[in-house]
Amino acid sequence: MADIMAAKIIGTGSYVPDQVITNDDLSEMVDTSDAWIRERTGIRARRITETGTADMAARAALKAMENAGISGDELDLIIVGTSTGDWLFPSTACEVQAAVGAGRAVCFDLSAACSGFLFSLNTAAVYLDSGAYRTALVVGADSLSKTVDWKDRSTCILFGDGAGAAVLRREESAAGTEKTRRGNSEDPAGPDSPGAPESLESGGIGPFFMGSDGNRSEYLTSPSTSLRNMFVEEKPTGYMAMNGQEVFKFAVKTVPEAIGHVLAQAGLAPDDIKYFVLHQANERIIASVAKRMKQPMEKFPVNLDRYGNTSGASIPILLDELNRKGMLRTGDRLVLSGFGAGLTWGASVVTWQASAGSI
């Protein structure tokens, strides 16, 4: 059998702004308290950008490239998962391209809200697996502080700004190793499922599952700048709106199902997973998923207490923290899973390979 190609994460990076807004700070702006916010969300503080999404994305990208030991001219593809670009156009990815010196890369943004990085990662992996490109930069970056009404307690307590990034490279596996196939499947356990791998031993990004439900789009919305400018005086609200109860119910049901789906595709059990790297929206959601998966909370790392919900940035920021703290070893199996507006959701299995610049 000929050598096959697999996309692997070879470096990570992240960036959060210096400006911190604590729960006590918010208590001076809206009717809330530190205890009230911590009890309901687990959040203690969040970071707010003074520059913008592209600047944060570029800073995270440069750190990921340094960790991977590559230069900008090695990048073939840049995908930025964001729903809060600084401009309608150009894309944030093109701004990142200029900042990192990736003159020959193909660049575009992908909008899937809090699922943005996960969708971007899976998209890049398919491009690399196909042989179209060899090296990709995937960034999740959002400035949700732009979209919230800071007088609305239901949303302003939840969100923060930040960016995380990963460098992917297509590597050839030894002859005789079957390729890990990817994608959604009606029968994830079936031998001919498009997501059922014959082997995950070579490492890399394994099976994934992604879902969308536009019929529930009204649960979490934020108007674009153009739509916001169209609002008449009687309806001046151009901010994020969220049905928190419905989003919570959606997340605690859908995330375990998505994780179960990709584990079945990979032929793995929850006990085989080192860490479940989940979107950092609410600590109660993470605890509920852990309970449903019958796994200890120690396998569900959390950093939302320090950053809040950073949307598409939350998964790559957390992944970079695990990497830089030396908590990941070659061969460790991870599950990445997220959910967001759209509604969108998904999960991916990753077999970790130590990066060139591992700490």
Side-chain angles (χ1 to χ4, degrees), residues 135-202:
T135 307
L137 171 67
V138 180
V139 184
D142 273 305
S143 305
L144 288 183
S145 62
K146 301 177 186 177
T147 72
V148 299
D149 179 354
W150 289 93
K151 297 178 181 179
D152 177 11
R153 183 180 69 172
S154 67
T155 56
C156 74
I157 66 171
L158 299 174
F159 298 101
D161 303 333
V167 175
L168 279 61
R169 174 158 284 172
R170 184 191 75 228
E171 295 185 358
E172 293 184 351
S173 299
T177 301
E178 295 289 338
K179 182 177 181 179
T180 297
R181 291 174 290 172
R182 311 183 190 285
N184 292 7
S185 167
E186 295 299 323
D187 180 16
D192 296 322
S193 159
E198 285 77 15
S199 173
L200 286 172
E201 297 306 316
S202 61

Side-chain angles (χ1 to χ4, degrees), residues 21-23 26 30 32-33 36-48 114 143-145 147-162 219-220 240-245 247-248 279-285 303-311 314 339:
I21 294 184
T22 66
N23 292 346
L26 285 179
V30 293
T32 190
S33 69
W36 191 91
I37 297 172
R38 283 190 289 107
E39 179 183 346
R40 288 161 176 78
T41 68
I43 299 169
R44 296 173 180 269
R46 67 283 299 143
R47 304 294 184 95
I48 305 299
C114 299
S143 305
L144 288 183
S145 62
T147 72
V148 299
D149 179 354
W150 289 93
K151 297 178 181 179
D152 177 11
R153 183 180 69 172
S154 67
T155 56
C156 74
I157 66 171
L158 299 174
F159 298 101
D161 303 333
Y219 290 169
L220 184 53
M240 177 191 298
M242 181 175 65
N243 185 328
Q245 185 176 8
V247 172
F248 186 94
H279 169 48
Q280 302 288 291
N282 186 306
E283 196 168 32
R284 292 195 298 166
I285 292 175
N303 66 5
L304 64 85
D305 56 317
R306 292 173 284 135
Y307 305 133
N309 180 345
T310 56
S311 189
S314 75
F339 60 92

Side-chain angles (χ1 to χ4, degrees), residues 23 49 55 122 124 128 147 169 204 215 231 237 242 254 281 309 327 346:
N23 292 346
T49 181
D55 176 71
N122 294 334
L128 267 60
T147 72
R169 174 158 284 172
N215 290 319
F231 283 137
T237 55
M242 181 175 65
T254 306
N309 180 345
M327 297 172 66

Side-chain angles (χ1 to χ4, degrees), residues 95-114:
E95 293 187 272
V96 171
Q97 176 191 34
V100 304
R104 65 186 188 86
V106 175
C107 309
F108 61 89
D109 290 354
L110 189 156
S111 178
C114 299

Side-chain angles (χ1 to χ4, degrees), residues 83-104:
S83 53
T84 56
D86 302 325
W87 304 89
L88 291 176
F89 46 83
S91 69
T92 304
C94 283
E95 293 187 272
V96 171
Q97 176 191 34
V100 304
R104 65 186 188 86

